[in-house]
Amino acid sequence: MDDNATAMRGRRVVIFGAGGQDGPYVAAACRRCGAEVHGYSRSTSPACDISRYAAVEAIIRDNRPDYVFQLAADSRTSHDALFSNHEAIAGGTVNILEAAHRHAPHARVLLAGSGLQFANKGLPINENAPFDAGSPYAAARIYATYLARYYREKIGLATYVAYLFHHESPARTARHTSKMIALAAARAALGGEGKIVLGDLFVEKEWTFAGDIAEGMVQLILQDRSFEAVIGSGEGHTIRDWTEACYASVGLDWRTYVSTRSDFVAEYPRLISDPGTIRALGWQPSVGFADLARMMVEAARVELTVTEKKEEGATS
Protein backbone atom coordinates (compact mmCIF):
# COMPACT_ATOMS: atom_id res chain seq x y z
CA MET A 1 0.00 0.00 0.00
CA ASP A 2 2.98 2.32 0.42
CA ASP A 3 3.08 3.29 -3.28
CA ASN A 4 -0.49 4.61 -3.20
CA ALA A 5 -0.79 5.72 0.43
CA THR A 6 0.59 9.20 -0.26
CA ALA A 7 -2.55 9.91 -2.29
CA MET A 8 -4.55 9.89 0.96
CA ARG A 9 -2.27 12.24 2.87
CA GLY A 10 -4.14 15.36 3.94
CA ARG A 11 -7.38 14.12 2.33
CA ARG A 12 -10.76 13.76 4.04
CA VAL A 13 -12.26 10.36 4.72
CA VAL A 14 -15.84 9.72 5.83
CA ILE A 15 -16.74 6.32 7.29
CA PHE A 16 -20.37 5.27 7.67
CA GLY A 17 -20.77 2.35 10.06
CA ALA A 18 -17.79 3.54 12.08
CA GLY A 19 -19.10 1.91 15.26
CA GLY A 20 -18.94 -1.67 13.98
CA GLN A 21 -16.05 -4.12 14.06
CA ASP A 22 -14.39 -2.86 10.87
CA GLY A 23 -14.83 0.90 11.26
CA PRO A 24 -12.07 1.54 13.81
CA TYR A 25 -9.60 -0.57 11.82
CA VAL A 26 -10.40 1.25 8.57
CA ALA A 27 -10.08 4.58 10.38
CA ALA A 28 -6.68 3.58 11.77
CA ALA A 29 -5.46 2.43 8.35
CA CYS A 30 -6.54 5.73 6.78
CA ARG A 31 -4.87 7.77 9.54
CA ARG A 32 -1.64 5.87 8.97
CA CYS A 33 -1.84 7.18 5.41
CA GLY A 34 -2.11 10.72 6.76
CA ALA A 35 -5.85 11.19 6.16
CA GLU A 36 -8.32 13.23 8.19
CA VAL A 37 -11.01 10.77 9.26
CA HIS A 38 -14.63 11.45 10.21
CA GLY A 39 -16.65 8.46 11.43
CA TYR A 40 -20.42 8.14 11.81
CA SER A 41 -22.87 5.50 12.97
CA ARG A 42 -26.05 5.27 15.01
CA SER A 43 -24.05 4.53 18.15
CA THR A 44 -21.22 7.06 17.83
CA SER A 45 -21.10 10.78 18.48
CA PRO A 46 -21.81 12.47 16.18
CA ALA A 47 -24.53 9.96 15.28
CA CYS A 48 -26.04 9.31 11.87
CA ASP A 49 -29.04 7.25 10.82
CA ILE A 50 -27.85 6.11 7.41
CA SER A 51 -31.40 5.29 6.32
CA ARG A 52 -32.24 9.04 6.34
CA TYR A 53 -31.06 10.75 3.18
CA ALA A 54 -31.07 14.23 4.75
CA ALA A 55 -28.64 13.09 7.47
CA VAL A 56 -26.28 11.44 4.99
CA GLU A 57 -26.45 14.37 2.59
CA ALA A 58 -25.55 16.85 5.33
CA ILE A 59 -22.45 14.83 6.24
CA ILE A 60 -21.26 14.56 2.64
CA ARG A 61 -22.07 18.20 1.89
CA ASP A 62 -20.32 19.52 5.01
CA ASN A 63 -17.22 17.31 4.80
CA ARG A 64 -16.72 17.18 1.00
CA PRO A 65 -14.79 13.91 1.45
CA ASP A 66 -12.24 12.50 -0.94
CA TYR A 67 -12.89 8.93 0.20
CA VAL A 68 -16.09 7.39 1.57
CA PHE A 69 -16.49 3.95 3.15
CA GLN A 70 -19.95 2.40 3.48
CA LEU A 71 -19.52 -0.18 6.25
CA ALA A 72 -22.96 0.11 7.84
CA ALA A 73 -24.89 -3.15 7.97
CA ASP A 74 -26.93 -5.56 10.01
CA SER A 75 -25.00 -8.80 9.54
CA ARG A 76 -27.91 -11.07 10.48
CA THR A 77 -29.10 -13.26 7.61
CA SER A 78 -32.49 -14.33 8.97
CA HIS A 79 -35.78 -13.09 7.55
CA ASP A 80 -36.37 -11.24 10.81
CA ALA A 81 -33.61 -8.82 9.75
CA LEU A 82 -35.31 -7.98 6.42
CA PHE A 83 -36.09 -4.33 7.13
CA SER A 84 -32.87 -3.70 9.02
CA ASN A 85 -30.84 -5.17 6.14
CA HIS A 86 -32.72 -3.00 3.68
CA GLU A 87 -32.34 0.22 5.68
CA ALA A 88 -28.64 -0.07 6.45
CA ILE A 89 -27.30 -1.78 3.34
CA ALA A 90 -29.65 -1.04 0.45
CA GLY A 91 -31.18 2.26 1.53
CA GLY A 92 -27.97 3.50 3.13
CA THR A 93 -26.01 2.84 -0.05
CA VAL A 94 -28.54 4.75 -2.19
CA ASN A 95 -28.24 7.70 0.17
CA ILE A 96 -24.45 7.71 0.18
CA LEU A 97 -24.03 7.35 -3.57
CA GLU A 98 -26.55 10.05 -4.42
CA ALA A 99 -25.17 12.44 -1.83
CA ALA A 100 -21.64 11.87 -3.14
CA HIS A 101 -22.82 12.40 -6.72
CA ARG A 102 -24.40 15.74 -5.77
CA HIS A 103 -21.86 17.11 -3.32
CA ALA A 104 -18.55 15.24 -3.75
CA PRO A 105 -18.44 13.94 -7.33
CA HIS A 106 -14.65 13.71 -7.11
CA ALA A 107 -14.84 11.23 -4.21
CA ARG A 108 -14.04 7.55 -4.29
CA VAL A 109 -16.71 5.46 -2.55
CA LEU A 110 -16.14 1.93 -1.27
CA LEU A 111 -18.98 -0.39 -0.29
CA ALA A 112 -18.35 -3.40 1.93
CA GLY A 113 -19.90 -6.43 0.27
CA SER A 114 -19.93 -10.01 1.53
CA GLY A 115 -18.93 -13.50 0.51
CA LEU A 116 -22.49 -14.50 1.45
CA GLN A 117 -23.93 -12.73 -1.60
CA PHE A 118 -22.41 -15.27 -3.99
CA ALA A 119 -23.62 -18.70 -5.05
CA ASN A 120 -21.65 -21.08 -2.84
CA LYS A 121 -20.86 -24.58 -4.08
CA GLY A 122 -18.00 -25.11 -1.67
CA LEU A 123 -15.32 -23.97 -4.12
CA PRO A 124 -13.18 -20.82 -3.71
CA ILE A 125 -15.19 -17.73 -4.69
CA ASN A 126 -13.87 -14.69 -6.53
CA GLU A 127 -15.54 -11.41 -7.50
CA ASN A 128 -16.68 -12.83 -10.87
CA ALA A 129 -18.76 -15.61 -9.31
CA PRO A 130 -22.56 -15.41 -9.78
CA PHE A 131 -24.69 -13.85 -7.08
CA ASP A 132 -27.31 -15.72 -5.09
CA ALA A 133 -30.00 -13.86 -3.11
CA GLY A 134 -30.23 -16.62 -0.54
CA SER A 135 -31.21 -14.31 2.34
CA PRO A 136 -32.48 -10.76 2.87
CA TYR A 137 -28.90 -9.87 3.82
CA ALA A 138 -27.52 -11.25 0.55
CA ALA A 139 -30.29 -9.59 -1.47
CA ALA A 140 -29.49 -6.20 0.07
CA ARG A 141 -25.79 -6.68 -0.65
CA ILE A 142 -26.50 -7.59 -4.28
CA TYR A 143 -28.76 -4.55 -4.72
CA ALA A 144 -26.05 -2.30 -3.28
CA THR A 145 -23.49 -3.78 -5.67
CA TYR A 146 -25.65 -3.05 -8.70
CA LEU A 147 -26.16 0.48 -7.43
CA ALA A 148 -22.38 0.89 -7.22
CA ARG A 149 -22.04 -0.35 -10.80
CA TYR A 150 -24.77 2.00 -12.01
CA TYR A 151 -23.16 5.04 -10.41
CA ARG A 152 -19.74 3.99 -11.73
CA GLU A 153 -20.78 3.19 -15.29
CA LYS A 154 -23.62 5.64 -15.92
CA ILE A 155 -23.06 8.53 -13.50
CA GLY A 156 -19.25 8.57 -13.44
CA LEU A 157 -18.73 8.21 -9.70
CA ALA A 158 -15.67 6.15 -8.69
CA THR A 159 -17.26 3.28 -6.77
CA TYR A 160 -15.56 0.21 -5.35
CA VAL A 161 -16.94 -3.00 -3.86
CA ALA A 162 -14.90 -5.06 -1.40
CA TYR A 163 -16.44 -8.50 -0.95
CA LEU A 164 -15.41 -9.36 2.59
CA PHE A 165 -15.11 -12.94 3.72
CA HIS A 166 -15.25 -14.08 7.33
CA HIS A 167 -12.97 -12.00 9.56
CA GLU A 168 -12.53 -11.58 13.28
CA SER A 169 -11.02 -9.40 15.99
CA PRO A 170 -11.29 -8.76 19.74
CA ALA A 171 -13.96 -6.20 18.83
CA ARG A 172 -16.43 -8.98 18.08
CA THR A 173 -19.42 -9.19 20.42
CA ALA A 174 -20.27 -12.25 22.48
CA ARG A 175 -23.05 -13.26 20.07
CA HIS A 176 -20.45 -14.24 17.46
CA THR A 177 -19.22 -17.84 17.60
CA SER A 178 -15.56 -16.84 17.44
CA LYS A 179 -15.88 -14.55 20.46
CA MET A 180 -18.05 -17.05 22.38
CA ILE A 181 -15.31 -19.65 22.03
CA ALA A 182 -12.55 -17.19 22.92
CA LEU A 183 -14.46 -16.13 26.03
CA ALA A 184 -15.04 -19.75 27.08
CA ALA A 185 -11.34 -20.56 26.72
CA ALA A 186 -10.43 -17.42 28.68
CA ARG A 187 -12.84 -18.34 31.48
CA ALA A 188 -11.32 -21.80 31.68
CA ALA A 189 -7.82 -20.30 31.83
CA LEU A 190 -8.91 -18.05 34.69
CA GLY A 191 -10.25 -21.04 36.61
CA GLY A 192 -13.90 -20.48 35.84
CA GLU A 193 -16.54 -22.36 33.91
CA GLY A 194 -15.02 -22.87 30.46
CA LYS A 195 -17.61 -25.20 28.98
CA ILE A 196 -19.48 -24.29 25.81
CA VAL A 197 -22.13 -25.88 23.56
CA LEU A 198 -21.55 -25.47 19.83
CA GLY A 199 -23.27 -26.46 16.59
CA ASP A 200 -21.54 -28.07 13.61
CA LEU A 201 -17.82 -28.23 14.35
CA PHE A 202 -16.97 -29.06 10.76
CA VAL A 203 -18.24 -25.87 9.11
CA GLU A 204 -15.23 -24.47 7.26
CA LYS A 205 -14.64 -20.78 6.72
CA GLU A 206 -11.94 -18.14 6.90
CA TRP A 207 -10.64 -16.58 10.10
CA THR A 208 -8.82 -13.47 8.92
CA PHE A 209 -7.89 -10.58 11.20
CA ALA A 210 -10.24 -7.60 10.73
CA GLY A 211 -7.29 -5.22 10.79
CA ASP A 212 -5.83 -6.97 7.75
CA ILE A 213 -9.20 -6.84 5.97
CA ALA A 214 -9.33 -3.09 6.65
CA GLU A 215 -5.90 -2.66 5.08
CA GLY A 216 -7.24 -4.53 2.04
CA MET A 217 -10.18 -2.13 1.70
CA VAL A 218 -7.85 0.86 1.81
CA GLN A 219 -5.55 -0.84 -0.71
CA LEU A 220 -8.51 -1.29 -3.05
CA ILE A 221 -9.84 2.27 -2.90
CA LEU A 222 -6.39 3.80 -3.44
CA GLN A 223 -5.92 2.32 -6.92
CA ASP A 224 -7.85 2.54 -10.18
CA ARG A 225 -7.15 -0.78 -11.91
CA SER A 226 -9.73 -2.92 -10.13
CA PHE A 227 -13.05 -1.68 -8.78
CA GLU A 228 -14.35 -4.90 -7.24
CA ALA A 229 -12.36 -7.49 -5.34
CA VAL A 230 -12.82 -10.34 -2.92
CA ILE A 231 -10.85 -9.72 0.28
CA GLY A 232 -10.06 -12.79 2.33
CA SER A 233 -7.21 -15.08 3.26
CA GLY A 234 -8.30 -17.93 1.00
CA GLU A 235 -7.35 -20.20 3.91
CA GLY A 236 -10.10 -22.33 5.42
CA HIS A 237 -10.35 -23.69 8.95
CA THR A 238 -13.21 -25.47 10.67
CA ILE A 239 -14.92 -24.33 13.85
CA ARG A 240 -13.24 -27.31 15.49
CA ASP A 241 -9.86 -25.93 14.39
CA TRP A 242 -10.72 -22.53 15.90
CA THR A 243 -11.91 -24.10 19.14
CA GLU A 244 -8.78 -26.20 19.44
CA ALA A 245 -6.55 -23.18 18.73
CA CYS A 246 -8.30 -21.01 21.32
CA TYR A 247 -8.05 -23.54 24.15
CA ALA A 248 -4.52 -24.54 23.12
CA SER A 249 -3.42 -20.91 23.38
CA VAL A 250 -3.96 -21.19 27.15
CA GLY A 251 -2.61 -24.73 27.44
CA LEU A 252 -5.97 -26.53 27.61
CA ASP A 253 -7.54 -29.45 25.71
CA TRP A 254 -10.75 -28.22 24.06
CA ARG A 255 -12.36 -31.67 24.23
CA THR A 256 -12.73 -31.31 28.00
CA TYR A 257 -14.95 -28.25 27.59
CA VAL A 258 -16.94 -28.57 24.35
CA SER A 259 -20.19 -30.35 23.56
CA THR A 260 -22.38 -30.07 20.46
CA ARG A 261 -26.04 -29.70 19.57
CA SER A 262 -27.42 -32.53 17.46
CA ASP A 263 -30.29 -30.39 16.15
CA PHE A 264 -28.08 -27.62 14.73
CA VAL A 265 -28.28 -26.93 10.97
CA ALA A 266 -25.44 -24.87 9.53
CA GLU A 267 -26.08 -22.07 7.03
CA TYR A 268 -23.35 -23.49 4.78
CA PRO A 269 -20.69 -26.22 5.06
CA ARG A 270 -17.82 -24.22 3.50
CA LEU A 271 -17.24 -20.58 2.54
CA ILE A 272 -13.78 -19.82 1.12
CA SER A 273 -12.49 -16.94 -0.99
CA ASP A 274 -10.24 -16.76 -4.02
CA PRO A 275 -8.39 -13.49 -3.27
CA GLY A 276 -6.28 -13.44 -6.44
CA THR A 277 -7.26 -9.89 -7.48
CA ILE A 278 -6.50 -8.18 -4.18
CA ARG A 279 -3.25 -10.13 -3.82
CA ALA A 280 -2.22 -8.91 -7.28
CA LEU A 281 -2.68 -5.38 -5.92
CA GLY A 282 -0.11 -6.11 -3.23
CA TRP A 283 -2.28 -7.08 -0.25
CA GLN A 284 -1.89 -10.12 1.95
CA PRO A 285 -2.90 -10.81 5.56
CA SER A 286 -0.23 -10.39 8.23
CA VAL A 287 -1.88 -12.19 11.17
CA GLY A 288 -2.05 -15.98 10.99
CA PHE A 289 -4.80 -18.26 12.25
CA ALA A 290 -3.13 -19.33 15.51
CA ASP A 291 -2.00 -15.77 16.24
CA LEU A 292 -5.56 -14.49 15.78
CA ALA A 293 -6.91 -17.12 18.17
CA ARG A 294 -4.23 -16.18 20.71
CA MET A 295 -5.01 -12.47 20.27
CA MET A 296 -8.73 -12.95 20.85
CA VAL A 297 -8.35 -15.22 23.87
CA GLU A 298 -5.89 -12.84 25.50
CA ALA A 299 -8.23 -9.91 24.87
CA ALA A 300 -11.10 -11.98 26.32
CA ARG A 301 -9.04 -12.68 29.46
CA VAL A 302 -8.46 -8.97 29.94
CA GLU A 303 -12.13 -8.26 29.33
CA LEU A 304 -13.26 -10.85 31.87
CA THR A 305 -10.74 -9.66 34.45
CA VAL A 306 -11.88 -6.05 34.10
CA THR A 307 -15.53 -7.09 34.38
CA GLU A 308 -14.79 -9.16 37.50
CA LYS A 309 -12.99 -6.25 39.17
CA LYS A 310 -15.90 -3.91 38.39
CA GLU A 311 -18.36 -6.40 39.90
CA GLU A 312 -16.20 -6.76 43.00
CA GLY A 313 -16.02 -2.99 43.37
CA ALA A 314 -19.78 -2.69 43.02
CA THR A 315 -20.43 -5.19 45.82
CA SER A 316 -17.72 -4.01 48.22
PDB file of all heavy atoms in Angstrom, residues 250-264:
ATOM      1  N   VAL A 250      -4.096 -21.309  25.695  1.00  0.00           N
ATOM      2  CA  VAL A 250      -3.956 -21.185  27.151  1.00  0.00           C
ATOM      3  C   VAL A 250      -3.623 -22.543  27.777  1.00  0.00           C
ATOM      4  O   VAL A 250      -3.853 -22.778  28.970  1.00  0.00           O
ATOM      5  CB  VAL A 250      -5.244 -20.581  27.787  1.00  0.00           C
ATOM      6  CG1 VAL A 250      -5.345 -19.112  27.447  1.00  0.00           C
ATOM      7  CG2 VAL A 250      -6.502 -21.328  27.337  1.00  0.00           C
ATOM      8  N   GLY A 251      -3.111 -23.453  26.941  1.00  0.00           N
ATOM      9  CA  GLY A 251      -2.608 -24.732  27.438  1.00  0.00           C
ATOM     10  C   GLY A 251      -3.669 -25.725  27.848  1.00  0.00           C
ATOM     11  O   GLY A 251      -3.412 -26.588  28.697  1.00  0.00           O
ATOM     12  N   LEU A 252      -4.868 -25.640  27.234  1.00  0.00           N
ATOM     13  CA  LEU A 252      -5.971 -26.533  27.607  1.00  0.00           C
ATOM     14  C   LEU A 252      -6.423 -27.385  26.426  1.00  0.00           C
ATOM     15  O   LEU A 252      -6.260 -26.995  25.266  1.00  0.00           O
ATOM     16  CB  LEU A 252      -7.151 -25.714  28.133  1.00  0.00           C
ATOM     17  CG  LEU A 252      -6.889 -24.891  29.393  1.00  0.00           C
ATOM     18  CD1 LEU A 252      -8.093 -23.995  29.690  1.00  0.00           C
ATOM     19  CD2 LEU A 252      -6.560 -25.773  30.575  1.00  0.00           C
ATOM     20  N   ASP A 253      -7.000 -28.544  26.728  1.00  0.00           N
ATOM     21  CA  ASP A 253      -7.545 -29.445  25.707  1.00  0.00           C
ATOM     22  C   ASP A 253      -9.021 -29.121  25.516  1.00  0.00           C
ATOM     23  O   ASP A 253      -9.827 -29.286  26.444  1.00  0.00           O
ATOM     24  CB  ASP A 253      -7.367 -30.900  26.151  1.00  0.00           C
ATOM     25  CG  ASP A 253      -7.806 -31.901  25.080  1.00  0.00           C
ATOM     26  OD1 ASP A 253      -8.533 -31.509  24.149  1.00  0.00           O
ATOM     27  OD2 ASP A 253      -7.420 -33.077  25.190  1.00  0.00           O
ATOM     28  N   TRP A 254      -9.390 -28.662  24.335  1.00  0.00           N
ATOM     29  CA  TRP A 254     -10.754 -28.224  24.062  1.00  0.00           C
ATOM     30  C   TRP A 254     -11.788 -29.317  24.304  1.00  0.00           C
ATOM     31  O   TRP A 254     -12.950 -29.029  24.644  1.00  0.00           O
ATOM     32  CB  TRP A 254     -10.857 -27.724  22.626  1.00  0.00           C
ATOM     33  CG  TRP A 254     -10.714 -28.803  21.587  1.00  0.00           C
ATOM     34  CD1 TRP A 254      -9.564 -29.311  21.077  1.00  0.00           C
ATOM     35  CD2 TRP A 254     -11.776 -29.516  20.950  1.00  0.00           C
ATOM     36  NE1 TRP A 254      -9.817 -30.288  20.161  1.00  0.00           N
ATOM     37  CE2 TRP A 254     -11.173 -30.439  20.054  1.00  0.00           C
ATOM     38  CE3 TRP A 254     -13.161 -29.481  21.035  1.00  0.00           C
ATOM     39  CZ2 TRP A 254     -11.916 -31.314  19.256  1.00  0.00           C
ATOM     40  CZ3 TRP A 254     -13.913 -30.348  20.230  1.00  0.00           C
ATOM     41  CH2 TRP A 254     -13.292 -31.241  19.354  1.00  0.00           C
ATOM     42  N   ARG A 255     -11.400 -30.579  24.121  1.00  0.00           N
ATOM     43  CA  ARG A 255     -12.362 -31.671  24.226  1.00  0.00           C
ATOM     44  C   ARG A 255     -12.935 -31.824  25.635  1.00  0.00           C
ATOM     45  O   ARG A 255     -14.011 -32.405  25.825  1.00  0.00           O
ATOM     46  CB  ARG A 255     -11.692 -32.980  23.787  1.00  0.00           C
ATOM     47  CG  ARG A 255     -11.425 -33.022  22.282  1.00  0.00           C
ATOM     48  CD  ARG A 255     -10.536 -34.168  21.893  1.00  0.00           C
ATOM     49  NE  ARG A 255      -9.173 -34.024  22.426  1.00  0.00           N
ATOM     50  CZ  ARG A 255      -8.158 -34.803  22.082  1.00  0.00           C
ATOM     51  NH1 ARG A 255      -8.350 -35.796  21.215  1.00  0.00           N
ATOM     52  NH2 ARG A 255      -6.960 -34.604  22.591  1.00  0.00           N
ATOM     53  N   THR A 256     -12.237 -31.269  26.620  1.00  0.00           N
ATOM     54  CA  THR A 256     -12.728 -31.307  27.999  1.00  0.00           C
ATOM     55  C   THR A 256     -13.894 -30.346  28.208  1.00  0.00           C
ATOM     56  O   THR A 256     -14.713 -30.531  29.124  1.00  0.00           O
ATOM     57  CB  THR A 256     -11.583 -30.925  28.966  1.00  0.00           C
ATOM     58  OG1 THR A 256     -10.473 -31.797  28.748  1.00  0.00           O
ATOM     59  CG2 THR A 256     -12.025 -31.003  30.421  1.00  0.00           C
ATOM     60  N   TYR A 257     -14.018 -29.352  27.343  1.00  0.00           N
ATOM     61  CA  TYR A 257     -14.947 -28.248  27.591  1.00  0.00           C
ATOM     62  C   TYR A 257     -16.089 -28.138  26.585  1.00  0.00           C
ATOM     63  O   TYR A 257     -17.064 -27.420  26.841  1.00  0.00           O
ATOM     64  CB  TYR A 257     -14.167 -26.921  27.574  1.00  0.00           C
ATOM     65  CG  TYR A 257     -13.084 -26.864  28.611  1.00  0.00           C
ATOM     66  CD1 TYR A 257     -11.775 -27.250  28.299  1.00  0.00           C
ATOM     67  CD2 TYR A 257     -13.343 -26.439  29.909  1.00  0.00           C
ATOM     68  CE1 TYR A 257     -10.770 -27.211  29.255  1.00  0.00           C
ATOM     69  CE2 TYR A 257     -12.345 -26.397  30.869  1.00  0.00           C
ATOM     70  CZ  TYR A 257     -11.062 -26.784  30.537  1.00  0.00           C
ATOM     71  OH  TYR A 257     -10.078 -26.745  31.493  1.00  0.00           O
ATOM     72  N   VAL A 258     -16.006 -28.814  25.450  1.00  0.00           N
ATOM     73  CA  VAL A 258     -16.942 -28.571  24.349  1.00  0.00           C
ATOM     74  C   VAL A 258     -17.899 -29.732  24.148  1.00  0.00           C
ATOM     75  O   VAL A 258     -17.497 -30.898  24.118  1.00  0.00           O
ATOM     76  CB  VAL A 258     -16.171 -28.300  23.035  1.00  0.00           C
ATOM     77  CG1 VAL A 258     -17.133 -28.130  21.871  1.00  0.00           C
ATOM     78  CG2 VAL A 258     -15.301 -27.061  23.188  1.00  0.00           C
ATOM     79  N   SER A 259     -19.171 -29.388  23.994  1.00  0.00           N
ATOM     80  CA  SER A 259     -20.191 -30.347  23.559  1.00  0.00           C
ATOM     81  C   SER A 259     -20.934 -29.742  22.378  1.00  0.00           C
ATOM     82  O   SER A 259     -20.808 -28.546  22.100  1.00  0.00           O
ATOM     83  CB  SER A 259     -21.158 -30.675  24.703  1.00  0.00           C
ATOM     84  OG  SER A 259     -21.799 -29.487  25.163  1.00  0.00           O
ATOM     85  N   THR A 260     -21.703 -30.562  21.662  1.00  0.00           N
ATOM     86  CA  THR A 260     -22.376 -30.070  20.457  1.00  0.00           C
ATOM     87  C   THR A 260     -23.871 -30.336  20.506  1.00  0.00           C
ATOM     88  O   THR A 260     -24.337 -31.216  21.232  1.00  0.00           O
ATOM     89  CB  THR A 260     -21.795 -30.728  19.197  1.00  0.00           C
ATOM     90  OG1 THR A 260     -21.931 -32.154  19.299  1.00  0.00           O
ATOM     91  CG2 THR A 260     -20.325 -30.369  19.018  1.00  0.00           C
ATOM     92  N   ARG A 261     -24.584 -29.544  19.709  1.00  0.00           N
ATOM     93  CA  ARG A 261     -26.040 -29.699  19.574  1.00  0.00           C
ATOM     94  C   ARG A 261     -26.340 -30.574  18.366  1.00  0.00           C
ATOM     95  O   ARG A 261     -25.913 -30.279  17.239  1.00  0.00           O
ATOM     96  CB  ARG A 261     -26.693 -28.340  19.364  1.00  0.00           C
ATOM     97  CG  ARG A 261     -26.712 -27.440  20.571  1.00  0.00           C
ATOM     98  CD  ARG A 261     -27.206 -26.063  20.187  1.00  0.00           C
ATOM     99  NE  ARG A 261     -28.381 -26.103  19.309  1.00  0.00           N
ATOM    100  CZ  ARG A 261     -28.823 -25.073  18.593  1.00  0.00           C
ATOM    101  NH1 ARG A 261     -28.159 -23.918  18.628  1.00  0.00           N
ATOM    102  NH2 ARG A 261     -29.887 -25.181  17.846  1.00  0.00           N
ATOM    103  N   SER A 262     -27.098 -31.621  18.570  1.00  0.00           N
ATOM    104  CA  SER A 262     -27.419 -32.534  17.460  1.00  0.00           C
ATOM    105  C   SER A 262     -28.455 -31.949  16.513  1.00  0.00           C
ATOM    106  O   SER A 262     -28.566 -32.380  15.362  1.00  0.00           O
ATOM    107  CB  SER A 262     -27.931 -33.871  18.020  1.00  0.00           C
ATOM    108  OG  SER A 262     -29.100 -33.653  18.810  1.00  0.00           O
ATOM    109  N   ASP A 263     -29.228 -30.951  16.969  1.00  0.00           N
ATOM    110  CA  ASP A 263     -30.293 -30.387  16.145  1.00  0.00           C
ATOM    111  C   ASP A 263     -29.844 -29.168  15.335  1.00  0.00           C
ATOM    112  O   ASP A 263     -30.648 -28.542  14.656  1.00  0.00           O
ATOM    113  CB  ASP A 263     -31.486 -30.000  17.019  1.00  0.00           C
ATOM    114  CG  ASP A 263     -31.125 -28.923  18.048  1.00  0.00           C
ATOM    115  OD1 ASP A 263     -29.922 -28.751  18.345  1.00  0.00           O
ATOM    116  OD2 ASP A 263     -32.051 -28.255  18.552  1.00  0.00           O
ATOM    117  N   PHE A 264     -28.565 -28.833  15.400  1.00  0.00           N
ATOM    118  CA  PHE A 264     -28.082 -27.623  14.732  1.00  0.00           C
ATOM    119  C   PHE A 264     -27.935 -27.855  13.229  1.00  0.00           C
ATOM    120  O   PHE A 264     -27.401 -28.877  12.799  1.00  0.00           O
ATOM    121  CB  PHE A 264     -26.734 -27.211  15.315  1.00  0.00           C
ATOM    122  CG  PHE A 264     -26.177 -25.953  14.717  1.00  0.00           C
ATOM    123  CD1 PHE A 264     -26.571 -24.709  15.186  1.00  0.00           C
ATOM    124  CD2 PHE A 264     -25.272 -26.007  13.669  1.00  0.00           C
ATOM    125  CE1 PHE A 264     -26.065 -23.540  14.637  1.00  0.00           C
ATOM    126  CE2 PHE A 264     -24.750 -24.853  13.112  1.00  0.00           C
ATOM    127  CZ  PHE A 264     -25.149 -23.621  13.595  1.00  0.00           C
TER     128      PHE A 264
END
